[in-house]
Amino acid sequence: QSALTQPASVSGSPGQSITISCTGTSSDVGGYNYVSWYQQHPGKAPKLMIYEVSNRPSGVPDRFSGSKSGNTASLTISGLQAEDEADYYCCSYTSTKTVIFGGGTKLTVL
Amino acid sequence: EVQLVESGGGLVQPGGSLRLSCAASGFTFSSYWMSWVRQAPGKGLEWVAYIKEDGSEKKYVDSVKGRFTISRDNAKNSLYLQMNSLRAEDTAVYYCARDRSRFYYWGQGTLVTVSS
């Protein structure tokens, strides 16, 4: 099964908003509301930022939001800050009861 | 405080075996699905396997089916990954994570290197 499709990189200036897309199929992203997003800084374990499409775990700033339309999920970060610079991965449950990640997106804060 | 601590990684020759362990604490281990996720050097995250709370259901990514076995010992609050017939492409940091697809807690990872 191929990874979910994410842009390799996105960038934005401090204070701006960016959106990272995650495209799958009706067998994963489009078929379930079990889409999650992870932030990973170099050398660190991933951190859950969004679960079940649009829910934020406690402690995650409300600058981070998630949504889904059809087979594409999106992570939006508003009010970009320097510490947001990291790799971001989407993840979805699938119709074969497996789990699939996106290829990852490198966010650069200019 | 929830803690997941992996161990058992190291250097192994192609075709060899390795058993990873993940010691869990700070939560009721027997009440949660558990998963293994790996990350090859410089690459993205790849889900490897998960196991149900009581061990009755297991799922694997196609690339490890028949070679890797996930298991757990709820009495010891421990998760395992038995890896056989290892290949160069299995080289990665292996993380254990709580839950099946909403990975709130992660371990620090253990590096597995498959090389001759």
Side-chain angles (χ1 to χ4, degrees), chain A residues 3-108:
Chain A
L4 303 174
T5 301
Q6 297 182 231
S9 63
V10 297
S11 62
S13 299
Q16 289 187 330
S17 294
I18 64 94
T19 296
I20 299 172
S21 61
C22 170
T23 301
T25 69
S26 58
S27 296
D28 39 65
V29 174
Y32 303 90
N33 286 327
Y34 293 120
V35 176
S36 52
W37 289 90
Y38 300 86
Q39 176 192 67
Q40 187 180 35
H41 287 108
K44 301 294 187 181
K47 175 185 178 182
L48 178 66
M49 305 303 284
I50 296 287
Y51 67 95
E52 291 168 12
V53 176
S54 59
N55 294 291
R56 270 180 292 107
S58 59
V60 172
D62 59 6
R63 303 185 293 103
F64 291 82
S65 62
S67 62
K68 189 182 83 167
S69 177
N71 296 336
T72 299
S74 299
L75 172 71
T76 297
I77 308 174
S78 58
L80 211 54
Q81 299 183 3
E83 58 261 37
D84 298 334
E85 184 163 296
D87 293 326
Y88 290 84
Y89 296 91
C90 61
C91 177
S92 177
Y93 185 69
T94 81
S95 60
T96 55
K97 294 187 175 181
T98 58
V99 176
I100 188 169
F101 281 93
T105 298
K106 181 177 180 61
L107 169 62
T108 300

